Amino acid sequence: MRPENMKSSRKVLEINQNCPGTEIAAETAAALAASSIVFRDVDKTYSRNLLHSAKKLFQFANEHRGTYNGECPFYCSYSGYHDELLWGATWLYIATRRPIYLKYIQDESTTAIVSEFSWDLKFAGAQILLSQLYWEGQKEFQTFQRQADGYICQVFPESPYHQAFITPGGLLHFRDGANAQYVTSTAFLFSVYSDLLARHRMQVTCGDKHFTSVQLMAFAKRQMDYLLGDNPIKRSMMVGFGNNPPLQAHHRGASVPVMAPTEDVNCGMSFVYWYNTNKPNPNELTGAILGGPDKQDRFIDSRTNSSYTEPCTYVNSVAIGVLAKLAK
């Protein structure tokens, strides 16, 4: 049912010393530290407040370690909290250049070569950030730069070490269930690394092959082009955009019509009238990139097939960066 008509409990949950949530605290510390950089030249007071909060959150995350699984089985921390701690420390070091964060990155952090960047797994993002510092002269970050190359080598289809599956139509496919999140996050990281490679006149080495910034950006562009309609079924995966876009996003606000706030809606009604019907949504969720096609480039525009039609903030949020670069 519509969020405005829900009567179910939506209590606020808390992390604290007795109920830690390292991923939540460290992830938020990273977001606040990054934002403090954005606002530094615009609103110094606000920037300082953001950074102060980021420092306190990271300290809490590091001193009271523990995974928060209050959202399982939906958003479990499958990767653990070490990636979020590295992510938070990296952004705090970039924002402050304080030795305490450098020491954590060098001496205490855990890192690994991975093939995805997602809401659950941040290693590749931190490694690419630290690669920039390595190329700017901080040679202590060489391991992270090599791991960033390792990420590219595991994903890029032309690499001899690639592990990621590519559909017949050319789309990355990591797993069923909002697979577009891995497409947009990969395209985003490839576009960022492409910029860094070009700026420092570097290439990625995968065995006996070398890949340029131009090649990485071309791959990122192909992934976004696919989602926007350049694919075997010739349809856009973005609601309200392009050719034959999806009409049945798996989204309660889009699929339930406007009604009086006082109207009583029960669960049975919502399934009969709005969920299990093969009709376009009454409200357009403009701009949402949906879960996308399966491994064989098939797409079913049905809200009951959530793996195809689910919109997620973590699909669109990382798409913005690469789309901004492509638009420019």
Side-chain angles (χ1 to χ4, degrees):
M1 59 196 75
R2 297 169 73 238
E4 294 88 343
N5 293 90
M6 288 175 65
K7 292 184 174 63
S8 54
S9 171
R10 285 187 275 182
K11 63 182 180 181
V12 174
L13 303 179
E14 179 183 280
I15 60 170
N16 53 42
Q17 294 180 9
N18 299 318
C19 181
T22 299
E23 295 89 346
I24 297 170
E27 171 85 16
T28 308
L32 296 179
S35 298
S36 76
I37 299 170
V38 174
F39 287 100
R40 186 172 292 163
D41 296 329
V42 181
D43 187 335
K44 285 184 169 57
T45 300
Y46 183 51
S47 175
R48 284 195 295 269
N49 288 339
L50 291 170
L51 193 55
H52 179 65
S53 296
K55 292 174 183 177
K56 290 200 297 183
L57 275 167
F58 182 79
Q59 181 179 356
F60 172 83
N62 194 30
E63 291 179 356
H64 303 283
R65 296 190 181 190
T67 288
Y68 177 77
N69 276 328
E71 295 305 320
C72 265
F74 300 104
Y75 292 99
C76 310
S77 182
Y78 300 104
S79 67
Y81 52 69
H82 292 289
D83 56 313
E84 277 84 12
L85 283 171
L86 176 60
W87 186 235
T90 298
W91 275 112
L92 275 163
Y93 180 67
I94 292 172
T96 66
R97 300 303 169 109
R98 288 184 60 185
I100 185 174
Y101 303 115
L102 176 61
K103 183 178 185 302
Y104 177 85
I105 295 167
Q106 286 184 287
D107 300 337
E108 300 177 51
S109 70
T110 298
T111 185
I113 295 175
V114 294
S115 59
E116 74 176 57
F117 179 60
S118 67
W119 58 267
D120 183 43
L121 189 59
K122 310 298 188 314
F123 283 132
Q127 290 156 4
I128 285 176
L129 286 172
L130 295 172
S131 294
Q132 176 176 341
L133 301 183
Y134 169 74
W135 285 321
E136 290 174 353
Q138 294 193 243
K139 299 307 178 186
E140 62 267 38
F141 295 135
Q142 184 177 37
T143 296
F144 296 98
Q145 190 278 314
R146 288 175 176 169
Q147 291 174 331
D149 271 8
Y151 162 75
I152 300 295
C153 294
Q154 289 202 33
V155 176
F156 195 52
E158 297 172 41
S159 163
Y161 304 129
H162 84 92
Q163 297 181 10
F165 181 86
I166 304 290
T167 71
L171 185 71
L172 280 166
H173 191 280
F174 282 81
R175 55 182 68 89
D176 292 326
N179 177 66
Q181 66 180 291
Y182 307 107
V183 179
T184 57
S185 65
T186 301
F188 174 64
L189 283 197
F190 268 60
S191 68
V192 173
Y193 209 48
S194 169
D195 281 347
L196 296 179
L197 292 171
R199 186 181 310 158
H200 298 282
R201 299 180 182 179
M202 302 300 295
Q203 296 184 349
V204 175
T205 299
C206 303
D208 59 351
K209 292 191 174 183
H210 305 276
F211 304 109
T212 67
S213 63
V214 174
Q215 288 173 288
L216 266 60
M217 194 59 219
F219 177 68
K221 181 178 182 297
R222 285 200 302 275
Q223 296 305 302
M224 296 309 299
D225 285 346
Y226 184 111
L227 292 177
L228 297 179
D230 186 7
N231 52 54
I233 57 176
K234 301 301 178 187
R235 67 180 304 176
S236 169
M237 297 297 126
M238 179 184 279
V239 176
F241 176 85
N243 181 59
N244 192 21
L247 300 175
Q248 293 191 34
H250 178 89
H251 182 275
R252 74 186 71 196
S255 58
V256 182
V258 175
M259 61 184 67
T262 56
E263 188 154 349
D264 188 26
V265 181
N266 61 55
C267 200
M269 285 172 59
S270 67
F271 276 92
V272 171
Y273 293 124
W274 306 305
Y275 182 73
N276 288 318
T277 60
N278 188 25
K279 296 178 181 178
N281 287 340
N283 310 308
E284 183 181 273
L285 194 64
T286 309
I289 302 174
L290 303 191
D294 61 19
K295 296 180 76 169
Q296 300 303 318
D297 299 302
R298 293 174 301 218
F299 178 75
I300 301 173
D301 186 13
S302 167
R303 73 180 61 82
T304 59
N305 283 279
S306 60
S307 64
Y308 297 100
T309 56
E310 184 177 19
C312 307
T313 54
Y314 42 84
V315 177
N316 270 69
S317 59
V318 278
I320 295 298
V322 61
L323 287 172
K325 181 179 178 182
L326 288 168
K328 184 180 179 180

